[in-house]
Amino acid sequence: MTSDLLAPLDLAFWNIESARHPMHLGALGVFACHSPTAGAHAADLLAVRAAAVPGLRMRIRDVRLPDVRLPRDLAAGRLPLALGGATREQAPDFDPLDHVRLHAPTDDFHAEAGRLMERPLERGRPPWEAHVLPGASGTSFAVLFKFHHALADGLRALTLAAGIMDPMDMPEPRSPRPQEPARGLLPDMRKIPGFLRGTLEDMGRALDIGASVALSALGMRSSSAFVSEPSGTRRTAGVVIDLDDVHRVRKSAGGTVNDVLIAIVAGALRRWLDERGDGSTGVAPRALIPVSRRRPRSAHPQGNRLSGYLIRLPVGDPDPLERLRSVRTAMDRNKDAGPNRGAGAVALLADHVPALGHRLGGPLVSQAARLWFDILVTSVPLPSLGLKLGGNPLAAVYPFAPLARGQSLAVAISTYRGRVHFGLVADGRAVPDLERLARAVPDEVETLLAACRA
């Protein structure tokens, strides 16, 4: 059985998880159908197909001491990284029926998804699940996919999920570079000077990134509207807007599609705060915008390679076009500085921390998230081709991001077949009115369009 050490950021996600802060991604796909038994048939298909996808058989195993089953890592001089780390390996007793579950019919997919998202995945077996939710009307069913962040990032989760959908044309992944054969359990002595030099360079980069993160966090205070004591409960909501409307705003007011989407989130938050009586005057929550550092069709698609940008959402500004200009300016500033600078680069520190440090420091890091940002706003890629399951077309898909400790709200955004899907996840006790925030999203789009026409 082959084993590979988890990448540093994967290991970080594995170690910061707790019962109230599960670190799994989610996606709620809603399928149109013409039979009340379509959901049950879909569950059977998922179970059968999952058995044939090698990536879904992978479990994560903690490594307390270096393991003789990791000769490639040890021969490459990674002996210190194995201590206290974890490996990704094939589960010998994988049973897809343990991961695909058919539920009773429901008329509220998001209510069920919220309850399922708050349950951590079982760590002793491959950390993913697919929950099939038949619709009470018989005209639709939903599938909630859950993948642990240590098993897959958004792009990798998409690839795994696509493997159990109906066959479709997908780009072939680039073949990985041939691995140098292992020469023994100890590193090659001739490589030690280079190994030490690389270690010192890593330490220098870590200090530089750490200083940048610390300076960016100075003077920042968390907004109480977006930070809460954890309850362990979850609510989800979703809303869909037309991509054409986003492009109309972009062409009229400038910026990128992503700038417009972030500005829409800021405007929706303003409406939501005012409607619930919290008031938006002077509110400027810090939003973490993840940035992928992994090249497309990478040879190592399962590893998380993330940095991020940190911006203040201009929630307190009453002018929708000024909010967009503020977002555009902040994002341009982040891009000019690059993903290695600022508080959003904190994820890069994971690459420079030994495995034992992740294991010992994981709980502390999880509690520090509220010091850096208040809300996560992330984009999850989806294919432009139509997806189907059992011949039933995917009509809508809502991505869900995990909540860091102390955060009460996360927003994930995906574009699928000309429409933009917003998936909202919140602490159920802190944000009982999440549906109100979802309704504010299309209202903000109309406000932006009207401002562009004026």
Side-chain angles (χ1 to χ4, degrees):
M1 180 186 301
T2 59
S3 299
D4 287 299
L5 287 171
L6 258 63
L9 190 54
D10 296 340
L11 185 60
F13 285 128
W14 188 246
N15 283 302
I16 66 176
E17 182 175 63
S18 67
R20 290 191 171 187
H21 298 90
M23 295 304 297
H24 53 252
L25 310 167
L28 181 68
V30 180
F31 297 83
C33 66
H34 301 287
S35 169
T37 63
H41 178 57
D44 291 338
L45 283 177
L46 291 174
V48 171
R49 292 172 179 174
V53 179
L56 296 178
R57 302 177 65 94
M58 304 299 287
R59 69 176 180 180
I60 295 173
R61 185 177 65 87
D62 290 326
V63 177
R64 303 295 178 179
L65 295 171
D67 194 317
V68 295
R69 291 188 296 175
L70 304 173
R72 182 173 63 197
D73 296 302
L74 300 183
R78 300 180 65 199
L79 177 63
L81 297 180
L83 180 62
T87 63
R88 189 182 290 107
E89 63 184 28
Q90 293 283 321
D93 54 352
F94 174 70
D95 184 350
L97 295 179
D98 291 334
H99 300 265
V100 180
R101 300 167 189 174
L102 177 65
H103 294 258
T106 178
D107 57 3
D108 191 338
F109 294 140
H110 278 288
E112 291 298 319
R115 285 189 283 270
L116 293 169
M117 283 294 291
E118 68 188 42
R119 301 178 189 174
L121 294 164
E122 293 190 29
R123 292 169 71 91
R125 63 190 188 189
W128 69 274
E129 292 174 351
H131 297 269
V132 181
L133 311 171
S137 66
T139 60
S140 65
F141 66 89
V143 180
L144 174 67
F145 290 102
K146 294 168 57 177
F147 292 93
H148 198 287
H149 220 321
L151 178 69
D153 62 3
L155 187 57
R156 176 63 174 168
L158 167 64
T159 302
L160 292 173
I164 50 179
M165 305 288 280
D166 289 357
M168 60 178 292
D169 294 329
M170 293 284 286
E172 290 295 327
R174 182 177 298 171
S175 300
R177 294 179 180 177
Q179 294 287 340
E180 182 179 341
R183 299 180 180 178
L185 297 183
L186 294 179
D188 189 333
M189 297 296 291
R190 293 171 296 181
K191 297 181 179 180
I192 287 180
F195 174 72
L196 293 176
R197 183 169 56 252
T199 300
L200 291 175
E201 291 174 353
D202 279 353
M203 291 175 62
R205 283 191 292 268
L207 289 173
D208 183 54
I209 294 169
S212 177
V213 169
L215 289 172
S216 297
L218 288 177
M220 288 188 172
R221 294 182 303 166
S222 296
S223 173
S224 60
F226 304 97
V227 179
S228 67
E229 289 303 316
S231 70
T233 60
R234 293 290 183 272
R235 296 182 68 87
T236 74
V239 65
V240 181
I241 63 173
D242 286 333
L243 182 59
D244 285 345
D245 288 340
V246 176
H247 282 299
R248 291 187 184 97
V249 173
R250 177 187 61 81
K251 291 176 181 178
S252 175
T256 66
V257 167
N258 200 41
D259 293 341
V260 176
L261 293 176
I262 295 171
I264 290 171
V265 172
L269 290 172
R270 176 182 174 84
R271 291 172 178 274
W272 172 63
L273 290 173
D274 287 342
E275 288 178 7
R276 74 197 313 240
D278 287 345
S280 59
T281 302
V283 175
R286 300 160 302 173
L288 178 64
I289 316 294
V291 177
S292 175
R293 297 170 55 242
R294 178 156 56 77
R295 294 178 180 177
R297 302 177 69 184
S298 166
H300 301 283
Q302 70 271 27
N304 279 283
R305 299 287 295 170
L306 294 173
S307 180
Y309 296 145
L310 192 75
I311 72 170
R312 287 279 188 177
L313 294 181
V315 171
D317 195 322
D319 187 326
L321 294 181
E322 283 301 320
R323 288 196 293 269
L324 176 54
R325 292 189 189 99
S326 295
V327 167
R328 181 181 179 184
T329 299
M331 290 298 289
D332 286 346
R333 187 184 304 118
N334 273 296
K335 293 171 186 175
D336 289 341
N340 294 344
R341 312 297 299 178
V346 66
L348 298 180
L349 293 174
D351 291 342
H352 308 283
V353 177
L356 190 58
H358 284 294
R359 184 177 298 280
L360 298 177
L364 179 62
V365 171
S366 69
Q367 296 184 45
R370 69 175 69 187
L371 301 177
W372 286 304
F373 65 97
D374 301 309
I375 182 174
L376 179 73
V377 181
T378 183
S379 295
V380 181
L382 287 177
S384 58
L385 299 176
L387 297 172
K388 293 183 179 181
L389 181 56
N392 303 293
L394 178 64
V397 57
Y398 304 99
F400 300 136
L403 288 181
R405 184 179 179 88
Q407 264 77 53
S408 59
L409 177 65
V411 180
I413 306 170
S414 286
T415 300
Y416 177 67
R417 308 206 77 185
R419 310 192 77 191
V420 183
H421 296 73
F422 290 75
L424 313 179
V425 176
D427 183 284
R429 186 175 300 168
V431 189
D433 57 343
L434 189 62
E435 294 80 6
R436 180 182 292 176
L437 174 58
R439 291 194 297 269
V441 170
D443 291 341
E444 179 62 18
V445 174
E446 291 300 321
T447 297
L448 273 168
L449 288 170
C452 290
R453 289 191 293 263

